[in-house]
């Protein structure tokens, strides 16, 4: 008899995260705040982090049982303190959602070396470091899932929206995802990248109302609009949950078809 007939677990049950401890970075706004709500709704014990404590406190007020830990992810010691705090409190990390990120529109001529370094620190070094710090607990508890929130701009260039630091960092995150997946596949850790196209958030502030931006998106995107946050839910839950136990090292690009050209 096949496992599908003997199991009482339904296909939708596999998307649930009951008893999973999930750490979501960059949860004080935008995608990260939304992701925390979705993962909590799927049953997860959610820990949220960012620098803005007031925003995190508001969020956990809406999510019974959720915990906030403020941290500046550009700081090595804050990253260590963050993971140590979660492990101290819950004893494990099952899912790490590396969502925090920075990016600003500017021509390369105006990018300073300091800003480029900051973007690489927050967008690549911090996800790498948090993954490295979380992995021993995942391995000890039989496995885990790491979801790196990269971008479609980790796969294609961005101009006329100029942001070399961002494209470099997101491309780095995409290939970091592949390499970590290979190193940890036999240890039970899956590592995948969730790569959004254009979505409204503080990072893209104004694009959803600005006529020129709307026209740019409408004429370049096969689905001629920005995404809505809920349109990332399926991809997030798939990658985070046991629904994707045979899926690792991949990029799931949710971009209305932008990169299909
Ligand atoms: P957002 O609203 O600006 O959110 C960025 C988050 O990152 C905030 O919660 C911010 O929190 C946190 N963060 C930034 N620097 C940090 C630091 N040094 N330490 C700790 N946390 C830090 O932008 P978003 O669009 O939701 O972005 C979330 C992720 O999605 C990013 O990785 C972004 O690249 C990716 N993404 C977004 C889009 C889009 O169209 N919106 C598309 C593709 C990919 P604090 O300021 O409170 O620290």
């Amino acid at each position: 008899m096949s496992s599908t007939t003997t199991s009482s677990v339904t296909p939708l049950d596999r998307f649930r995260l009951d008893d999973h401890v999930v750490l979501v970075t960059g949860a004080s706004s935008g995608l990260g705040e939304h992701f925390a709500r979705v993962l909590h709704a799927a049953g997860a014990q959610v820990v949220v982090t960012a620098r803005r404590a007031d925003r995190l406190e508001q969020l956990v007020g809406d999510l019974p049982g959720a915990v906030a830990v403020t941290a500046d992810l550009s700081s090595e010691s804050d990253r260590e303190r963050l993971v140590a705090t979660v492990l101290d409190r819950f004893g494990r990390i099952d899912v790490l959602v590396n969502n925090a990120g920075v990016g600003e529109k500017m021509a390369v001529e105006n990018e300073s070396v300091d800003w480029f370094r900051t973007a690489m620190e927050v967008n690549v070094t911090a996800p790498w470091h948090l993954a490295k710090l979380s992995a021993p607990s995942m391995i000890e508890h039989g496995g885990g899932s790491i979801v790196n929130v990269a971008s479609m701009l980790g796969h294609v260039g961005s101009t006329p929206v100029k942001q070399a630091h961002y494209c470099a960092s997101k491309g780095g995150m995409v290939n970091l995802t592949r390499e970590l997946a290979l190193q940890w596949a036999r240890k039970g850790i899956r590592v995948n990248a969730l790569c959004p196209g254009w979505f409204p958030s503080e990072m893209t502030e104004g694009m959803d109302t600005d006529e020129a931006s709307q026209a740019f998106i409408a004429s370049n995107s096969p689905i001629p609009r920005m995404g809505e946050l809920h349109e990332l839910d399926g991809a997030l839950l798939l990658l985070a949950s046991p629904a994707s136990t045979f899926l690792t090292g991949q990029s799931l690009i949710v971009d209305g078809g932008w990169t299909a050209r």
Side-chain angles (χ1 to χ4, degrees):
M1 206 182 281
S2 78
S3 59
T4 49
T5 52
T6 52
S7 169
S8 61
V9 178
T10 71
L12 280 181
D13 287 340
R14 296 191 199 283
F15 288 84
R16 288 208 52 90
L17 287 161
D18 305 286
D19 304 324
H20 286 62
V21 178
V22 178
L23 173 58
V24 185
T25 72
S28 60
S29 64
L31 275 55
E33 179 189 339
H34 180 76
F35 291 162
R37 293 181 188 279
V38 171
L39 294 160
H40 184 269
Q45 167 60 64
V46 174
V47 183
V48 293
T49 187
R51 290 166 300 184
R52 285 171 290 178
D54 53 335
R55 300 284 288 266
L56 295 179
E57 285 311 323
Q58 260 181 353
L59 175 61
V60 300
D62 289 348
L63 308 177
V67 169
V69 182
T70 51
D72 180 347
L73 295 185
S74 66
S75 152
E76 183 179 340
S77 59
D78 266 24
R79 299 190 295 249
E80 288 167 349
R81 177 181 51 78
L82 168 65
V83 172
T85 303
V86 182
L87 292 178
D88 194 41
R89 178 91 185 248
F90 298 105
R92 57 194 290 164
I93 296 174
D94 300 298
V95 178
L96 168 64
V97 181
N98 271 321
N99 165 79
V102 292
E104 282 183 19
K105 299 178 198 74
M106 59 178 87
V108 64
E109 290 81 357
N110 299 325
E111 280 177 318
S112 67
V113 172
D114 276 353
W115 174 244
F116 193 91
R117 284 196 179 123
T118 297
M120 296 302 282
E121 186 73 22
V122 176
N123 294 3
V124 185
T125 307
W128 164 83
H129 197 195
L130 293 178
K132 181 179 159 69
L133 292 167
S134 306
S137 161
M138 291 181 176
I139 293 166
E140 188 189 335
H141 292 94
S145 171
I146 297 172
V147 181
N148 289 327
V149 182
S151 170
M152 67 176 180
L153 300 178
H155 295 267
V156 295
S158 179
T159 293
V161 182
K162 297 175 182 172
Q163 36 185 356
H165 59 281
Y166 190 75
C167 292
S169 66
K170 294 302 182 175
M173 198 183 209
V174 165
N175 215 30
L176 171 68
T177 297
R178 296 190 186 103
E179 175 60 9
L180 294 183
L182 296 178
Q183 289 199 24
W184 288 336
R186 293 179 185 207
K187 296 182 173 174
I189 304 177
R190 299 180 301 102
V191 190
N192 291 289
L194 173 55
C195 299
W198 302 111
F199 283 81
S201 72
E202 289 180 8
M203 189 180 280
T204 56
E205 196 164 12
M207 280 187 88
D208 52 340
T209 49
D210 171 54
E211 270 183 32
S213 302
Q214 290 295 297
F216 166 65
I217 290 170
S219 57
N220 286 286
S221 182
I223 298 177
R225 60 174 174 81
M226 295 180 86
E228 296 177 22
L229 290 184
H230 71 83
E231 293 177 305
L232 291 167
D233 298 0
L236 172 72
L237 287 177
L238 172 68
L239 298 181
S241 75
S244 59
T245 42
F246 199 49
L247 205 169
T248 198
Q250 302 304 309
S251 282
L252 191 39
I253 309 178
V254 184
D255 66 353
W258 187 280
T259 54
R261 292 183 177 283

